Amino acid sequence: MARLPVHTVESAPSEATARIEAVQKANGFIPNLIGVLANSPQALEFYQEVSKLNGKNSLTAEEIEVVQITAAAHNGCNFCVAGHTKIGTLRLKMPNDVLQALRARTSIDSNEKYQALAQFTMQIIDKKGKVSDEELAAFKAAGYTDQSVIDVIMGVALAALCNYSIGVSQAEINPELAEYAP
């Protein structure tokens, strides 16, 4: 049982109702993360608006999911691993070996660029941004730019909101996401 309310359209604060209704209409269900974030309508708005911005940064859609799955797995958020694995699998058709390596935080042998991105994402998290000159150079040597560096940090920040909210709430993985859970 969740330690924070997991809101529905009926129980959400009025400031969050329209956002939750839109999610339900778009997905056919309300992911428990959305229900948890609705405890703070501002946090729900932050999540949705930053997600839109994150979706149009310098990284490809697949690279954005590399950051999100890596961060979720690294932060131990099985809910977010499941959600982003579903996106990677169904919407983006990412290779299964890439998704499995991200989920397990192991080497992505088939894609050196994704491997550099996943490694850099974990370094950003572990070192709270204080990566070494060598780590930054290795990331850039893989073909990433100064903008990519900041875009990875934006993705990590977004993941922190989600991963930590699920961690504190202990909300369950929705049945619609269960088959993608670790």
Side-chain angles (χ1 to χ4, degrees), residues 157-177:
L158 181 60
L161 172 67
C162 302
N163 301 166
Y164 297 174
S165 294
I166 289 295
V168 168
S169 71
Q170 296 181 357
E172 294 180 7
I173 297 172
N174 296 74
E176 296 86 349
L177 302 174

Side-chain angles (χ1 to χ4, degrees), residues 54-115:
N54 193 51
K56 55 186 183 179
N57 70 29
S58 67
L59 303 175
T60 67
E62 293 81 6
E63 289 170 331
I64 289 168
E65 291 309 313
V66 168
V67 172
Q68 292 304 306
I69 296 169
T70 299
H74 206 58
N75 288 328
C77 184
N78 290 340
F79 182 96
C80 296
V81 169
H84 288 284
T85 299
K86 183 176 182 180
I87 292 168
T89 301
L90 298 181
R91 188 181 313 156
L92 301 176
K93 310 287 189 228
M94 292 173 70
N96 189 54
D97 68 302
V98 170
L99 292 170
Q100 293 309 315
L102 292 169
R103 293 160 54 96
R105 295 182 299 143
T106 59
S107 181
I108 306 168
D109 297 329
S110 65
N111 192 314
E112 291 179 13
K113 192 168 184 186
Y114 287 177
Q115 174 58 32

Side-chain angles (χ1 to χ4, degrees), residues 3 10 25 38 95 118 121 131 134-136 156 162 173 176 181:
R3 298 189 303 180
E10 296 76 29
K25 184 177 179 183
T121 299
V131 296
E134 295 78 18
E135 291 163 336
L136 181 59
V156 167
C162 302
I173 297 172
E176 296 86 349

